[in-house]
Amino acid sequence: MLAPVALEWEQIIVDSADPIALGRWWAEALGWVVVDESEEIIEIRPEPDQLPGLLFVPVPEGKTSKNRLHPDFRPDDQEAEVARLLSLGARRADTVQDEQHWVTLLDPEGNEFCVLGERKS
């Protein structure tokens, strides 16, 4: 039998051209709090003592292709949430979404994320 692994999911690192601006955008979009900030990095979490968080760090290169990992969110009201995120500065992705139950959006730096529709039983 394998012994259990004692790992705690601390955070996801987000490479960014402007970590502070992008981190603040995601904090507002998610309703999270800033738990650490310097001139170059910012970390946000759902609550100060709740993990995992998102840590935004600077990188010299820009985003060049589709993300290999992206978050999916399931709100109570997909249409209202998409409208709210668009009003904060998200953009719709240029993907065909006919008969899909999600909407793909891009954050201010072009990172993809999806807003899911109602859960199918």
Side-chain angles (χ1 to χ4, degrees):
M1 207 149 192
L2 294 176
V5 176
L7 290 177
E8 181 177 23
W9 184 359
E10 178 83 15
Q11 60 202 3
I12 292 176
I13 307 302
V14 181
D15 293 347
S16 177
D18 186 347
I20 305 304
L22 190 60
R24 289 188 178 282
W25 186 88
W26 275 105
E28 184 174 4
L30 297 172
W32 288 15
V33 296
V34 175
V35 296
D36 189 20
E37 182 176 348
S38 71
E39 288 183 16
E40 292 190 338
I41 64 106
I42 185 170
E43 182 182 359
I44 65 172
R45 296 183 186 168
E47 297 291 334
D49 58 351
Q50 185 180 351
L51 298 173
L54 296 172
L55 178 64
F56 297 83
V57 300
V59 294
E61 69 278 355
K63 184 175 180 301
T64 59
S65 63
K66 184 177 184 287
N67 293 8
R68 299 288 301 258
L69 172 74
H70 75 261
D72 286 349
F73 302 101
R74 190 178 305 277
D76 291 334
D77 182 336
Q78 180 191 44
E79 186 177 333
E81 189 60 23
V82 167
R84 184 184 75 84
L85 291 163
L86 291 171
S87 76
L88 292 176
R91 302 179 322 272
R92 288 185 181 271
D94 293 333
T95 57
V96 176
Q97 295 178 310
D98 294 337
E99 297 188 35
Q100 293 177 354
H101 300 287
W102 65 87
V103 176
T104 303
L105 297 177
L106 305 173
D107 74 11
E109 289 198 11
N111 299 301
E112 299 90 0
F113 64 98
C114 292
V115 181
L116 306 175
E118 185 175 323
R119 188 178 306 277
K120 300 296 179 190
S121 43

